Short mmCIF file of all heavy atoms in Angstrom, two decimals:
data_model
loop_
_atom_site.label_atom_id
_atom_site.label_comp_id
_atom_site.label_asym_id
_atom_site.label_seq_id
_atom_site.Cartn_x
_atom_site.Cartn_y
_atom_site.Cartn_z
N SER X 1 51.81 129.70 -180.68
CA SER X 1 53.03 130.39 -180.17
C SER X 1 53.27 129.98 -178.72
O SER X 1 52.84 130.74 -177.79
CB SER X 1 52.92 131.86 -180.32
OG SER X 1 54.04 132.52 -179.95
N ASN X 2 53.88 128.81 -178.42
CA ASN X 2 54.15 128.32 -177.10
C ASN X 2 54.90 129.38 -176.21
O ASN X 2 54.51 129.67 -175.09
CB ASN X 2 54.76 126.97 -177.11
CG ASN X 2 54.82 126.47 -175.68
OD1 ASN X 2 53.79 126.18 -175.15
ND2 ASN X 2 55.99 126.40 -175.05
N THR X 3 55.95 129.89 -176.80
CA THR X 3 56.71 130.95 -176.15
C THR X 3 56.65 132.16 -177.15
O THR X 3 57.39 132.23 -178.04
CB THR X 3 58.15 130.49 -175.98
OG1 THR X 3 58.18 129.22 -175.27
CG2 THR X 3 58.93 131.54 -175.14
N PRO X 4 55.77 133.16 -176.77
CA PRO X 4 55.55 134.19 -177.77
C PRO X 4 56.63 135.20 -177.95
O PRO X 4 56.39 136.43 -177.64
CB PRO X 4 54.23 134.75 -177.20
CG PRO X 4 54.12 134.46 -175.81
CD PRO X 4 54.87 133.20 -175.65
N VAL X 5 57.84 134.76 -178.40
CA VAL X 5 58.91 135.62 -178.54
C VAL X 5 58.63 136.71 -179.61
O VAL X 5 58.85 137.90 -179.32
CB VAL X 5 60.13 134.84 -178.99
CG1 VAL X 5 61.23 135.74 -179.41
CG2 VAL X 5 60.55 133.91 -177.82
N LYS X 6 58.09 136.35 -180.74
CA LYS X 6 57.68 137.27 -181.74
C LYS X 6 56.67 138.26 -181.34
O LYS X 6 56.78 139.51 -181.72
CB LYS X 6 57.22 136.52 -183.00
CG LYS X 6 58.22 135.77 -183.73
CD LYS X 6 57.55 134.96 -184.92
CE LYS X 6 58.62 134.17 -185.57
NZ LYS X 6 58.01 133.35 -186.79
N VAL X 7 55.75 137.93 -180.52
CA VAL X 7 54.73 138.84 -179.93
C VAL X 7 55.46 139.93 -179.13
O VAL X 7 55.17 141.05 -179.27
CB VAL X 7 53.71 138.09 -179.15
CG1 VAL X 7 52.81 139.08 -178.43
CG2 VAL X 7 52.89 137.15 -180.06
N ALA X 8 56.36 139.45 -178.28
CA ALA X 8 57.01 140.39 -177.46
C ALA X 8 57.81 141.44 -178.14
O ALA X 8 57.86 142.62 -177.84
CB ALA X 8 57.93 139.66 -176.36
N VAL X 9 58.55 140.90 -179.20
CA VAL X 9 59.48 141.77 -179.99
C VAL X 9 58.57 142.75 -180.76
O VAL X 9 58.88 143.91 -180.92
CB VAL X 9 60.38 140.94 -180.94
CG1 VAL X 9 61.05 141.77 -181.88
CG2 VAL X 9 61.39 140.15 -180.07
N ALA X 10 57.44 142.32 -181.32
CA ALA X 10 56.57 143.14 -182.11
C ALA X 10 55.95 144.27 -181.18
O ALA X 10 55.68 145.29 -181.60
CB ALA X 10 55.44 142.41 -182.70
N LEU X 11 55.83 144.07 -179.85
CA LEU X 11 55.38 145.01 -178.95
C LEU X 11 56.46 145.94 -178.45
O LEU X 11 56.20 146.78 -177.68
CB LEU X 11 54.67 144.33 -177.72
CG LEU X 11 53.31 143.64 -178.11
CD1 LEU X 11 52.91 142.68 -176.89
CD2 LEU X 11 52.29 144.67 -178.44
N GLY X 12 57.75 145.69 -178.94
CA GLY X 12 58.74 146.59 -178.66
C GLY X 12 59.76 146.08 -177.66
O GLY X 12 60.73 146.88 -177.28
N ALA X 13 59.76 144.93 -177.29
CA ALA X 13 60.68 144.29 -176.30
C ALA X 13 62.12 144.31 -176.98
O ALA X 13 62.24 143.86 -178.12
CB ALA X 13 60.32 142.89 -175.81
N GLN X 14 63.11 144.76 -176.26
CA GLN X 14 64.48 144.68 -176.71
C GLN X 14 65.35 143.61 -175.83
O GLN X 14 66.42 143.34 -176.26
CB GLN X 14 65.14 146.04 -176.54
CG GLN X 14 64.57 147.17 -177.30
CD GLN X 14 64.91 146.91 -178.88
OE1 GLN X 14 65.99 146.62 -179.12
NE2 GLN X 14 63.86 146.90 -179.67
N ARG X 15 64.76 143.26 -174.75
CA ARG X 15 65.42 142.33 -173.85
C ARG X 15 64.38 141.28 -173.33
O ARG X 15 63.43 141.71 -172.74
CB ARG X 15 66.06 143.11 -172.73
CG ARG X 15 66.92 142.21 -171.82
CD ARG X 15 67.57 143.13 -170.80
NE ARG X 15 68.61 142.30 -170.06
CZ ARG X 15 68.75 142.27 -168.84
NH1 ARG X 15 67.90 142.94 -167.96
NH2 ARG X 15 69.66 141.61 -168.13
N LEU X 16 64.64 140.04 -173.54
CA LEU X 16 63.64 139.01 -173.22
C LEU X 16 64.39 138.06 -172.12
O LEU X 16 65.50 137.73 -172.36
CB LEU X 16 63.32 138.19 -174.39
CG LEU X 16 62.76 138.96 -175.58
CD1 LEU X 16 62.61 137.98 -176.79
CD2 LEU X 16 61.49 139.59 -175.29
N ILE X 17 63.55 137.70 -171.14
CA ILE X 17 63.94 136.58 -170.26
C ILE X 17 62.96 135.48 -170.45
O ILE X 17 61.78 135.64 -170.18
CB ILE X 17 63.98 137.13 -168.78
CG1 ILE X 17 64.92 138.24 -168.67
CG2 ILE X 17 64.37 135.90 -167.84
CD1 ILE X 17 65.03 138.88 -167.27
N ILE X 18 63.39 134.36 -171.02
CA ILE X 18 62.56 133.38 -171.51
C ILE X 18 62.50 132.20 -170.58
O ILE X 18 63.55 131.70 -170.13
CB ILE X 18 62.95 132.89 -172.90
CG1 ILE X 18 63.01 133.92 -173.94
CG2 ILE X 18 62.16 131.65 -173.35
CD1 ILE X 18 63.75 133.78 -175.19
N LEU X 19 61.30 131.75 -170.14
CA LEU X 19 61.04 130.74 -169.26
C LEU X 19 60.49 129.60 -170.07
O LEU X 19 59.35 129.46 -170.32
CB LEU X 19 60.12 131.07 -168.15
CG LEU X 19 60.42 132.39 -167.33
CD1 LEU X 19 59.26 132.83 -166.50
CD2 LEU X 19 61.61 132.09 -166.37
N PRO X 20 61.35 128.65 -170.55
CA PRO X 20 60.79 127.66 -171.38
C PRO X 20 59.79 126.65 -170.74
O PRO X 20 60.04 126.40 -169.51
CB PRO X 20 62.05 126.77 -171.86
CG PRO X 20 63.15 127.57 -171.47
CD PRO X 20 62.73 128.55 -170.37
N THR X 21 58.84 126.20 -171.31
CA THR X 21 57.84 125.32 -170.70
C THR X 21 57.71 124.11 -171.67
O THR X 21 57.90 124.17 -172.91
CB THR X 21 56.40 125.99 -170.62
OG1 THR X 21 55.94 126.41 -171.85
CG2 THR X 21 56.43 127.13 -169.65
N GLY X 22 57.32 123.00 -171.10
CA GLY X 22 56.99 121.83 -171.87
C GLY X 22 58.27 121.18 -172.48
O GLY X 22 58.12 120.36 -173.32
N TYR X 23 59.49 121.44 -172.03
CA TYR X 23 60.70 120.79 -172.66
C TYR X 23 60.93 119.52 -171.96
O TYR X 23 60.80 119.31 -170.79
CB TYR X 23 61.89 121.70 -172.31
CG TYR X 23 63.18 121.07 -172.81
CD1 TYR X 23 63.34 120.98 -174.22
CD2 TYR X 23 64.10 120.52 -172.04
CE1 TYR X 23 64.51 120.41 -174.74
CE2 TYR X 23 65.22 119.95 -172.58
CZ TYR X 23 65.40 119.89 -173.93
OH TYR X 23 66.48 119.27 -174.44
N ALA X 24 61.23 118.52 -172.79
CA ALA X 24 61.55 117.17 -172.32
C ALA X 24 62.97 116.81 -172.74
O ALA X 24 63.36 117.00 -173.86
CB ALA X 24 60.62 116.10 -172.95
N CYS X 25 63.71 116.27 -171.73
CA CYS X 25 65.04 115.80 -172.11
C CYS X 25 64.90 114.49 -172.96
O CYS X 25 63.86 113.80 -173.05
CB CYS X 25 65.72 115.41 -170.72
SG CYS X 25 65.77 116.76 -169.57
N ALA X 26 66.00 114.22 -173.46
CA ALA X 26 66.12 112.89 -174.27
C ALA X 26 65.70 111.81 -173.35
O ALA X 26 66.28 111.76 -172.22
CB ALA X 26 67.36 112.78 -174.94
N LEU X 27 64.99 110.86 -173.73
CA LEU X 27 64.53 109.70 -172.88
C LEU X 27 65.54 108.56 -173.16
O LEU X 27 66.03 108.39 -174.20
CB LEU X 27 63.20 109.34 -173.10
CG LEU X 27 62.24 110.48 -172.93
CD1 LEU X 27 60.74 110.01 -173.27
CD2 LEU X 27 62.18 111.04 -171.47
N GLN X 28 65.57 107.60 -172.13
CA GLN X 28 66.29 106.42 -172.32
C GLN X 28 65.43 105.35 -173.09
O GLN X 28 65.88 104.61 -173.89
CB GLN X 28 66.66 105.78 -170.99
CG GLN X 28 68.05 106.08 -170.56
CD GLN X 28 68.41 105.24 -169.26
OE1 GLN X 28 67.61 105.01 -168.30
NE2 GLN X 28 69.60 104.68 -169.32
N LEU X 29 64.13 105.34 -172.80
CA LEU X 29 63.14 104.53 -173.42
C LEU X 29 62.02 105.32 -173.97
O LEU X 29 61.64 106.35 -173.47
CB LEU X 29 62.69 103.48 -172.42
CG LEU X 29 63.72 102.48 -171.79
CD1 LEU X 29 63.11 101.69 -170.66
CD2 LEU X 29 64.25 101.65 -172.84
N PRO X 30 61.34 104.78 -174.92
CA PRO X 30 60.20 105.52 -175.45
C PRO X 30 59.11 105.66 -174.31
O PRO X 30 58.94 104.79 -173.53
CB PRO X 30 59.58 104.65 -176.60
CG PRO X 30 60.76 103.66 -176.91
CD PRO X 30 61.56 103.54 -175.68
N PRO X 31 58.34 106.70 -174.38
CA PRO X 31 57.19 106.77 -173.37
C PRO X 31 56.24 105.57 -173.64
O PRO X 31 56.01 104.99 -174.73
CB PRO X 31 56.57 108.09 -173.77
CG PRO X 31 57.46 108.87 -174.51
CD PRO X 31 58.34 107.91 -175.20
N ARG X 32 55.51 105.30 -172.56
CA ARG X 32 54.54 104.17 -172.64
C ARG X 32 53.13 104.74 -172.91
O ARG X 32 52.65 105.58 -172.15
CB ARG X 32 54.51 103.45 -171.19
CG ARG X 32 55.89 102.85 -170.91
CD ARG X 32 55.84 102.10 -169.63
NE ARG X 32 55.74 100.72 -169.95
CZ ARG X 32 55.61 99.80 -168.98
NH1 ARG X 32 55.65 100.08 -167.69
NH2 ARG X 32 55.44 98.56 -169.34
N GLY X 33 52.60 104.17 -174.00
CA GLY X 33 51.25 104.52 -174.37
C GLY X 33 51.23 105.68 -175.35
O GLY X 33 52.13 106.49 -175.61
N ALA X 34 50.11 105.65 -176.05
CA ALA X 34 49.87 106.66 -177.18
C ALA X 34 49.93 108.09 -176.70
O ALA X 34 50.50 109.02 -177.23
CB ALA X 34 48.60 106.38 -177.91
N VAL X 35 49.16 108.47 -175.57
CA VAL X 35 49.16 109.83 -175.00
C VAL X 35 50.57 110.23 -174.62
O VAL X 35 50.99 111.33 -174.93
CB VAL X 35 48.12 109.95 -173.90
CG1 VAL X 35 48.15 111.22 -173.26
CG2 VAL X 35 46.68 109.60 -174.41
#
């Protein structure tokens, strides 16, 4: 659960402010290398 939205709601949250992490924009070229 990278962004634990379901966890927050299960704990009673009615209003969430989400800080996305790990998002990548579309690239012009493929990344270099397997990793």
